[in-house]
Amino acid sequence: MIVVKIYATGCKSCSLTAELVALVADELRVDIEIQTITDLRAIINAGIINTPCLMIDDIVLKSGAVPSVQLIREHLSMYVPIH
């Protein structure tokens, strides 16, 4: 299972980020766990300056704006199970 962290302050962009990640993961059939971090102290301690911030495998993919579906797909496609 892939851990996806979304650092969020509760705005529409933060919610949309989580929805897009879930949608793409479902499309690719990738098993993920979405952790939404909303605690301001935790966001600051993680070194996040802008939200939403999408992090997969502890690598920041996008911060300060909603990531594109293409960006999410590119990174999650590495975890597509081989049948």
Side-chain angles (χ1 to χ4, degrees):
M1 179 178 300
I2 309 309
V3 175
V4 176
K5 295 179 183 176
I6 299 173
Y7 292 87
T9 56
C11 66
K12 287 183 181 182
S13 295
C14 296
S15 298
L16 181 57
T17 298
E19 290 173 23
L20 290 175
V21 169
L23 180 74
V24 172
D26 187 51
E27 171 190 304
L28 296 174
R29 296 188 175 122
V30 174
D31 189 22
I32 66 169
E33 174 188 344
I34 296 178
Q35 297 177 355
T36 303
I37 296 94
T38 57
D39 179 69
L40 188 55
R41 187 169 307 277
I43 293 170
I44 292 168
N45 287 341
I48 305 304
I49 297 171
N50 299 307
T51 61
C53 179
L54 173 62
M55 186 180 285
I56 299 177
D57 281 343
D58 295 322
I59 298 170
V60 173
L61 299 182
K62 184 74 174 183
S63 184
V66 176
S68 68
V69 170
Q70 181 180 349
L71 176 71
I72 298 167
R73 188 176 290 125
E74 285 174 8
H75 287 276
L76 288 183
S77 66
M78 296 185 296
Y79 303 102
V80 172
I82 299 172
H83 296 283

